[in-house]
Amino acid sequence: MLIKLTAGTVYDPANGVDGEVRDIYIRDNHIVGTPSADEKIDTEYDLRGKVVMAGAIDLHTHIGGGKVNIARTLLPEFCRSEPGENDTRPRSGCSRATPSTLLAGYRYAEMGYTSAFEPAVLPVNARQAHMEMADTPILDTGGYAMLGNDDFLLRMLSTGAEQQLINDYVAWILHATQCVGIKVVNPGGISAFKFNQRKLDLDETTPYYNVTPRSIVSRLSQALYELGIPHPLHVHASNLGVPGNFRTTLDTMEAAAGLPLHLTHIQFHSYGTEGDHRFSSAAAEIAEAINANHNISADVGQIMFGQTVTLSADTMHQHANHQHAHPNKWVCTDIECEGGCGVVPFRYRDKNFVNAMQWAIGLEIFLMVDDPWRVFLTTDHPNGAPFTSYPHLMRLLMDRSFREEMLLQIHPEVAAHSRLAGLTREYTLYEMAIMTRAGPARILGLKDRGHLATGAVADIAVYNVDKNRQRMFECPAYVFKSGELVVRDGDIWNVVRGNTHVVRPEFDSGIEKSLSDYFDRYHSIRIQNFRISDDEMANHIGSPVMVTDCIARSNR
Amino acid sequence: MDTNTADKLHHNIACSFCGLCCDDLTVQVENSQLRITDNGCDLCQAGFSEPLPPTAAVNRQPQINGHSCSLDDALARSAGLLRDSRQPLFGGLGTDVAGARATLQLADRIGAIVDHMNSAAMMRNILAVQDSGWMTTTLTEVRNHVDLMVVFGNGIAERTPRFYERFFNNAESMFGHDTRQRELVLIGASNDNELVQNSSRITRFPCAPEQLGTIAMALRSLVNGKSLQTENIAGIPQSQLLELVQRLRDARYSVVTWNSSELDFPHAELTVQACCELVKDINIESRCSALPLGGSNGDHTFAQVATWQTGYASRFSLASRKPHFDPLLFDGERLLSEQEADLLLWISAFDTRRKPPLSAVPAIVLGRAGMQCETSPEVFIPVATPGIDHSGHIFRCDSIAVLPLQSLRASGLLSVAAILQAITEHL
Ligand code: SF4
Ligand SMILES: [Zn+2]
């Protein structure tokens, strides 16, 4: 099958292509070079006047694993009105903030997304996360396994284990859980909450283990660096949502000591304490630090006004925030001496000063971080807003006058207390393609995604040009997944199944012996049943694995 | 997965016969007959060792109206009944992850109402969560952290037989606690104390199930520093409840548990909710978690898969191109007795005793081979049992761990997923 995409205007930053009119050829699943003149083109799409980009990649979105199901169970009202009765998608589904898996897949594809990564995979719950992602059609997926509140790692740190052993454990977890990266959430804090501690700063020690969050971040980032895992340690820093937390965030950057570090939903970690409300924007300090430290990347976790639900492994802070629950109901769970989960529904209000500032802080970070390769477009779905608000967010970033119009509608003090009004930057299509395609592919080590050169997987989104960027990104003319047309004029055309990205770092399997004994003594599952095999992924879970290379480095 | 099905010993096998999903079993296979030789309990021994009927037996054959037929005929007849049905009900639903996925795909295609056989018990917890949420914990957490365990109801030993052995009387904890010092409080008509090996202190507050909620609410008031106007609460002196409240406050990590399947009285969800609100309020100062126990016949499995695919665990309809949940309207037993459904597809792959409720509604039954229905359904198709005849996955009662199930023998029977797939192809 040979497809020709004729004369589209191509934005392909990974290959330095900035709005050039080009033809693209697809053979089966991949992009190929210009075929010889005698080869028959099976299908041709006339893309004159249309914008062509690689399929978009969301590197942080909560679309799989137990916490979303907890939110779905807690909030049946989210399902009642959404979508409408006349929905014509292939399988039924419901909810915007907690979409059922099939609907999530359709909706992502309908915006031109072809890959999404679940950032909070609890190792013990990894099967469920992969099952849900396998039931999220069209998208390729991947997960980041959560460490840093698990007894085994904290125990190793507290007994001064050598870095090599930590590396082996991290590598083993990646294999066993079929994940592509490692995330740490409120390092040590979720464990501390189980010992009834309600607050943990970066340099405080955890109960029982006596280790600091700083050491957890530095040892884990060291492990990922030495194992050669492409994606840096994905950090949900300490003190989520706490006014004044920007200092913790800056200190966390420092804890990486120059090693790559990704700070997630950094908007929630960029708060100062100035002004009458004791709540202010520290976006400038945070953006300055990102600009100065090339080892640091971040996704924003933009909030949007309206009803959503916050889901986080950070039980310490979710429990503290439960009095803000709207509607007034919430769930917190301690999980398997490994992590936790807190689900608190929330309505962001544009006339509420703090919420309106959160909105402004997120946009400030987007606009003040100079390098679009190191900042990523997320709403931390659904924590800041459902992922379906991405086109609106794109318009806010690409259209200054629209942004200023919006700023006038929210709490009046925000304009005075943030720099947003003075930020004239408008993201270009090229920068948007970096932030949502080339950048995520690069930071995940995905060599054949996020770009449109020969050899890339044919994940392609084609948009009609529209000055209203929201309308443009809401409704692609065509979306191809692995060379198959899946969306036409914004509607699902054809459904394909995705695969799972994984990494396979090398490690000394001697670690399995101590782990096996440890599982038998303390856990409720045998190690043999904990590990997920490739056969399970392909034949039972339903999402075969695709391996991204790791190149081990000697320690620094 | 280990698919070697020759006669032998299989280790680290997971059990699907209650919500604990113990995965430390050793299973011996001899001529397709299974026996648990290590770990396990009576419940699982019965589940695993139930003999496979001889190949020629009627209840190992597909049947139409009680007469043996070819599988193809049974599939074609099933497809015809489903096609002609105006309001099909999918009930039973005792199956694994693959079976649940196949069930939902077919239900979505033909617009069925979906209700698991254990949904009455499930709804007691779900309605409480939908109304106010909860704070819970999971089995490994309990095994290592618990120092005070409060059991509401008739005890948990009968329906989750190895709970105390594995999670309360375990020899050692991660944190070096002396597990023999653990304290147990039994509120209700429980004899669990006879099973507990080494608790330093067992306190019993006998009461009727209907009084459990009153006691939980009284405890909650006392936790919040309110005094009660009465000396006795459900026959228990207030002073004793006050003492329990103090113990809950002082505990490092207390756990409150119940099994919703035995709270079989009207509005039992309010009792569950009272327990949950008690737990939440203890957490204002100290740590305490709820542990909803129970589960059988793949109920947690079905609930999880259905929740991620449709938003709802059970008692929902897919008739209108959009999942619609109604715990009263879509109660399967009600739909059958009122004949609001005109066809029942009943699935019970784990348990031959869980047969379709007697009703005038015609039924297609996918039952564990050996099931003997009281009256012959329109179609009966014997199915393989997950974790015995085929590999698969099952969710544990804390809905956190998903255990792999193995194929332990070659019975030649097809899985629920395979049969539903084949029926779909006949549609
Ligand atoms: S306690 Fe439950 S899961 Fe464990 S062996 Fe017995 S029936 Fe099986
Ligand atoms: Zn997140």
Side-chain angles (χ1 to χ4, degrees), chain A residues 160-172:
Chain A
E162 305 221 328
Q163 185 66 34
Q164 187 56 50
L165 264 184
I166 292 170
N167 298 358
D168 288 341
Y169 174 59
V170 168
W172 182 84

Side-chain angles (χ1 to χ4, degrees), chain B residues 14-25 36 39-45 48 157 159-163 165-166 295:
Chain B
C15 171
S16 59
F17 294 101
C18 90
L20 297 184
C21 297
C22 305
D23 72 338
D24 57 353
L25 311 186
I36 311 299
N39 300 320
C41 67
D42 291 351
L43 197 57
C44 100
Q45 188 71 267
F48 274 92
R159 287 185 163 88
T160 43
R162 293 180 67 201
F163 178 80
E165 171 209 324
R166 296 187 62 214

Side-chain angles (χ1 to χ4, degrees), chain A residues 266-527:
Chain A
I266 199 162
Q267 177 275 128
F268 289 105
H269 302 268
S270 303
Y271 303 152
T273 51
E274 323 231 304
D276 296 345
H277 300 272
R278 314 294 301 151
F279 184 87
S280 58
S281 169
E285 289 86 341
I286 294 292
E288 195 190 349
I290 297 174
N291 290 337
N293 295 290
H294 292 260
N295 59 318
I296 303 295
S297 58
D299 64 86
V300 171
Q302 178 67 33
I303 73 118
M304 295 290 179
F305 304 113
Q307 176 72 54
T308 190
V309 57
T310 65
L311 347 151
S312 173
D314 194 345
T315 41
M316 179 184 264
H317 289 101
Q318 289 294 78
H319 184 261
N321 288 334
H322 76 75
Q323 66 263 38
H324 303 302
H326 179 91
N328 182 19
K329 50 182 178 176
W330 49 279
V331 172
C332 273
T333 304
D334 295 334
I335 300 174
E336 295 297 270
C337 300
E338 198 180 67
C341 172
V343 175
V344 182
F346 194 78
R347 179 187 286 277
Y348 293 100
R349 293 179 166 83
D350 59 358
K351 298 297 189 289
N352 170 296
F353 176 76
V354 170
N355 296 168
M357 277 303 290
Q358 290 178 300
W359 178 85
I361 291 166
L363 295 176
E364 286 176 330
I365 294 169
F366 275 117
L367 297 168
M368 289 195 280
V369 171
D370 298 331
D371 182 1
W373 290 92
R374 290 190 290 118
V375 64
F376 302 96
L377 188 136
T378 66
T379 55
D380 190 19
H381 163 84
N383 290 309
F387 65 77
T388 44
S389 54
Y390 287 175
H392 178 80
L393 175 55
M394 291 171 187
R395 185 173 182 202
L396 285 169
L397 298 175
M398 300 180 85
D399 183 341
R400 183 186 168 192
S401 61
F402 176 65
R403 188 161 70 225
E404 285 170 357
E405 232 173 84
M406 292 294 117
L407 182 58
L408 288 177
Q409 292 174 19
I410 64 175
H411 193 286
E413 284 180 61
V414 170
H417 286 83
S418 87
R419 303 187 187 205
L420 195 55
L423 294 171
T424 56
R425 181 173 173 190
E426 292 183 328
Y427 269 79
T428 63
L429 284 170
Y430 189 73
E431 287 176 315
M432 197 50 72
I434 295 173
M435 190 158 56
T436 56
R437 277 87 174 159
R442 190 172 84 175
I443 205 160
L444 286 159
L446 309 177
K447 299 218 164 55
D448 56 2
R449 311 286 155 139
H451 72 92
L452 297 169
T454 299
V457 170
D459 293 353
I460 301 171
V462 179
Y463 299 97
N464 298 309
V465 177
D466 191 328
K467 268 223 183 70
N468 178 334
R469 298 305 195 199
Q470 177 171 347
R471 238 171 16 216
M472 173 169 165
F473 285 105
E474 237 161 32
C475 187
Y478 304 103
V479 179
F480 298 87
K481 175 76 198 77
S482 301
E484 299 254 10
L485 182 65
V486 290
V487 170
R488 212 179 167 124
D489 297 326
D491 289 330
I492 297 296
W493 179 258
N494 176 29
V495 176
V496 299
R497 303 206 67 152
N499 298 311
T500 301
H501 290 285
V502 299
V503 287
R504 293 291 160 80
E506 284 179 25
F507 68 105
D508 178 350
S509 61
I511 188 90
E512 287 220 334
K513 210 183 148 342
S514 31
L515 276 165
S516 176
D517 175 57
Y518 171 79
F519 270 72
D520 286 355
R521 283 169 68 184
Y522 301 117
H523 275 265
S524 51
I525 300 181
R526 292 266 160 112
I527 197 169

Side-chain angles (χ1 to χ4, degrees), chain A residues 60 62 119-120 183 236 264-265 311 380-381 383:
Chain A
H60 188 114
H62 298 281
K183 184 192 193 192
H236 159 145
T264 189
H265 43 69
L311 347 151
D380 190 19
H381 163 84
N383 290 309

Side-chain angles (χ1 to χ4, degrees), chain B residues 244-288:
Chain B
L244 175 55
V245 163
Q246 197 52 48
R247 285 163 72 192
L248 284 163
R249 283 210 185 99
D250 294 344
R252 270 191 323 263
Y253 196 95
S254 56
V255 170
V256 171
T257 188
W258 66 89
N259 181 336
S260 69
S261 62
E262 58 157 67
L263 304 179
D264 192 8
F265 49 88
H267 302 296
E269 69 274 11
L270 298 178
T271 297
V272 172
Q273 188 170 30
C275 292
C276 294
E277 294 300 292
L278 166 65
V279 168
K280 276 187 187 169
D281 286 357
I282 295 168
N283 280 284
I284 296 168
E285 296 286 332
S286 26
R287 284 312 318 272
C288 175

Side-chain angles (χ1 to χ4, degrees), chain A residues 69 79 89 91-92 101 125 135 155 196 198 329 332 334 336-337 521 524 526 529 536 541, chain B residues 12 23 108 130 136 138 140-141 143 172 174 253 283 285 304 308-309 321-322 393 396 400:
Chain A
N69 257 5
C79 288
R89 297 176 178 97
R91 287 276 305 269
S92 65
T101 54
N125 189 238
D135 283 355
R155 196 169 289 272
N196 201 26
R198 307 294 168 118
K329 50 182 178 176
C332 273
D334 295 334
E336 295 297 270
C337 300
R521 283 169 68 184
S524 51
R526 292 266 160 112
N529 292 319
E536 250 187 289
I541 289 168
Chain B
N12 306 314
D23 72 338
D108 206 10
Q130 287 182 348
T136 57
T138 64
T140 295
E141 212 69 74
R143 182 173 159 116
E172 47 182 348
M174 274 175 191
Y253 196 95
N283 280 284
E285 296 286 332
Q304 287 296 311
W308 81 58
Q309 286 204 359
R321 285 298 305 138
K322 176 172 159 25
H393 287 106
R396 208 166 70 180
I400 277 297

